[in-house]
Amino acid sequence: MTGDTAHVDTFARDNLPPADRMPEIRLDLPELQYPARMNCATELLDRMVAAGHGGRPVIHAMIDGRKYACTYRQLQVRANQIAHVLREDLKLVPGSRVLLRGPNNPMMAACWFGAMKAGCITVATMPLLRAKELEQIVDKAQCAAALCDVRLGEEMELAAAKCPGLRQVLYFNDDQPGSLEARLASKPAEFSNVDTAAEDIALIAFTSGTTGQPKGCMHYHRDVVAMCDLFPRSCLKPGRRADVFCGTPPIAFTFGLGGMLCFPMRAGASTVLVERLTPELLLQTIQDFRATVCFTAPTFFRQMAPLAKNYDLASLKKCVSAGEALPDPTRQLFKSATGIEIIDGLGSTEMIHIFVSHTPERVRRGATGYAIPGYQATVLDEAGNPCPPGVVGRLAVKGATGCKYLADERQTVYVQNGWNVTGDAYAMDADGYFYYQARTDDMIISAGYNIAGPEVEAAMLAHEAVAECGVVGAPDEERGMIVKAYVVLKPGRTGDAGMTKALQEHVKASIAPYKYPRAIEFVASLPRTETGKLQRFKLREFAAR
């Protein structure tokens, strides 16, 4: 730890992993030489206003069917007022945890910055979480207060009733007396940001997760700024103030916190926050706001490709895919439709953002990319030794950020000998490019063969009849497991025996024949998280029945 903490409530710091379980942190690059005292709200918001950019737009939105723009100064004033409410009305102290509930909108962004300014720790949550899930998060992080969009109030109230430690809930986007907006009216426009240490905890991001208890990933103020100075600088290379960002990931998800809020602000650019997007609405957003950068998941890129011709996308320059592996057929489909080479990115909530990626000029077919400057990555065998090129093993990474679970024994699984072991199975070539195989728990072992489900998915997606596909292992008495594919067909296609055979033959002709799906089930939709990630664990549950 460097710098004396500004936190009066030291719960989060007290529940960091012990020193011998912490990841190795490397701050080797010149741009990572940060001061010992740092508040990320000062760096991302206040410095832009001080530099004369207060009148520039920072957030665009559609409100009541009309375009709305918030400037850097307007966002700063609103965040300052929220910080006053947190400190004066709610009596929170630096280090207090504040639950944030809201879709991507200007007030959600202002609440995030207000909490940073007040020295509090944000615990942002996905809008679709239910009361039971909120209870787990509130209890784990010991949240003292919540700022919640009034439209999400029902589940918030149910959770608050069962969480005695959550003493106060204020609602925003609400015109009622007692709302957050009502309290802001009397607050001054200026606020002196808490002088936090660079290694004071700024946020606890809970994994979007699959099963079991959620894991709280703690990140410092320095981590928030570092994520802005790594992937964007080396791979995205935004055009600074001229850029307009847009996309689907929620601010509550660290992919969205970076791409939808912090990255554009670090560049002095602006972002379009839309609460709920479909592929059509995302294309419309690009057209209407002349967006230049788009962040979303592979599924959206695949669904947007055939629709792209119906929209004016001349402003769009760069696209970033993350959240799950980008199949090469999706990359090629989107490139054919738009001329844009998608920038693929691998990150994790534990690492806060992307650490393996590439520039559009350095893309390599089938590869996620290489370790970006500021990180180093390798592939380890089960004994913890580096694998030779081409050998599949466990991806491990270290660099400017790292996993710091909140009071969780699973820290010893993710962090091993200083490396962050991500849970992804990868192979690395001699040039340092990483090729995704599967999540380590998604490898299918059938009759002695190791088969990566995503590889089969990519082969299936290359067939003209397939809209979406998920592949998992299904129990089988003879082979132990078989490859089973759940397939969503394009409109006008019929899921019958003839289609099953056609898809199986297509896979056999595309990749090693033993990898073909011996069972195919045609479905109307696939289970996905709120961020668009395929929930293969649910498919495995279906397959086990």
Side-chain angles (χ1 to χ4, degrees), residues 472-488:
V472 295
D476 180 76
E477 289 187 8
E478 181 180 342
R479 308 179 72 84
M481 300 184 88
I482 60 169
V483 177
K484 181 169 184 177
Y486 290 85
V487 176
V488 178

Side-chain angles (χ1 to χ4, degrees), residues 75 78-79 82-83 86 98-101 105-117 122 147-149 170-173 180-181 184:
L75 178 60
R78 185 50 55 97
I82 291 169
L86 294 175
V98 180
L99 189 82
L100 299 184
R101 299 272 299 135
N105 59 43
M107 272 300 289
M108 179 69 171
C111 287
W112 193 88
F113 276 104
M116 292 297 115
K117 285 172 165 284
T122 61
L147 303 180
C148 179
D149 191 298
L170 284 183
Y171 291 101
F172 58 85
N173 289 328
L180 178 57
E181 281 88 348
L184 297 180

Side-chain angles (χ1 to χ4, degrees), residues 241-262:
R241 293 191 291 273
D243 272 317
V244 179
F245 287 59
C246 72
T248 60
I251 293 172
F253 183 39
T254 53
F255 178 37
L257 177 64
M260 294 296 93
L261 195 60
C262 297

Side-chain angles (χ1 to χ4, degrees), residues 180-234:
L180 178 57
E181 281 88 348
R183 292 172 182 258
L184 297 180
S186 63
K187 299 302 180 186
E190 305 303 326
F191 182 85
S192 296
N193 294 354
V194 171
D195 182 28
T196 47
E199 291 189 356
D200 274 337
I201 295 155
L203 63 98
I204 305 174
F206 279 84
T207 54
S208 53
T210 53
T211 59
Q213 291 292 315
K215 292 172 286 190
C217 306
M218 298 192 281
H219 295 293
Y220 302 142
H221 282 264
R222 186 187 67 209
D223 296 336
V224 175
V225 179
M227 76 172 176
C228 301
D229 291 341
L230 292 170
F231 167 73
R233 181 187 294 260
S234 61

